Amino acid sequence: KAVIKRYEIISFEKQEEKINELISKFGGLPVGLSDEKWPISAGWQDRRMMFIGQLLIEKGGFENEKKIMVYLFVTHPESYEDNFFDPDIAEWDGGENAVIIQTIEESHNSIGCVEGPILFDKHNRHYEYIPLFKEGYDPKYISNSDFRKLDSELQEKYFVEVDKNKMGGTPNFCRQEPFFDGEWLLLLQLKCEFLPFVIRTGTMGMLYVFISKDFKQARMIIQN
C-alpha cells in the first residue's frame, strides 16, 4: 500500500540568470547562508566544500511547524578535468560532506556575498537548476531481507516505485541500510550519474539526505 508522500523530481530547469530567492535549487551560491557557515573539509586544510544546492521545506511539507531551508555541501573537485576524489564523502560522519539547517526566520539574507566552490557541468559551465516536483506516494519501506523474499514481479514493481530522484518518500538503498540513532525522514534521494550537473560520487552513486523528525539534525550518505 502506498503510504509515504514523495515529491518526485521530474526535471531540472536550467537557469541562465542568478537565483536570489529562498527556493529549492541546485548549483550557484547558497541564498541566505552567512559566510561563516560555509563548511570546510575535515581532511584537506582550508578547503571549502562545494555547494550542491538548497532545499526548501515548506511549512507542513514534512509535518514541520516552520519553513526550513537545508543547504547541501560535499568535498569535491572544482572542475570536470580535476580527478580529485575523497571517498570519505560517502560517510555521514566522515567530515567531507555537510548539511546545514536554517529556519527561514533565521536566514541571514547575505545574498550575493557568500563565495565558494559551486556546481559545474561536463563542459565546466556553472548554471543553476530549479527542480520541478510531482507529488505522489511511495510504498512503505521494505528491508533488504524482506525484499529478497518477494517474487520477481513484486520486486520489480517496488524498485520502479522507489528508484527516483525525489524529496521525501521511501529510500532505495543500493547496499545495506544505514543505522542511525533516533527517527529520521528521507529528505533527498539523487541518482548522481544521471544529472545535468556533476556530483562526483563514484560509480553509479546514489546520494541520500536524511533529516531528524525534530528537524534539528541532518545527515548525508552516498552509496554505490
Side-chain angles (χ1 to χ4, degrees), residues 98-164:
V99 187
I100 297 173
I101 303 169
Q102 285 188 170
T103 62
I104 293 299
E105 292 82 356
E106 292 171 354
S107 66
H108 286 71
N109 291 322
S110 55
I111 294 172
C113 64
V114 181
E115 297 292 333
I118 57 174
L119 275 182
F120 51 86
D121 65 13
K122 291 181 179 179
H123 304 285
N124 280 324
R125 294 173 301 198
H126 302 281
Y127 294 110
E128 301 186 50
Y129 302 84
I130 296 176
L132 295 185
F133 296 105
K134 178 183 177 183
E135 193 172 317
Y137 291 89
D138 274 353
K140 192 173 181 180
Y141 178 70
I142 299 174
S143 69
N144 286 349
S145 56
D146 288 339
F147 179 81
R148 288 192 288 270
K149 297 173 186 174
L150 300 175
D151 64 44
S152 58
E153 188 175 326
L154 286 175
Q155 285 183 345
E156 177 68 15
K157 185 174 186 293
Y158 177 82
F159 178 81
V160 168
E161 287 180 330
V162 300
D163 186 50
K164 302 176 186 296

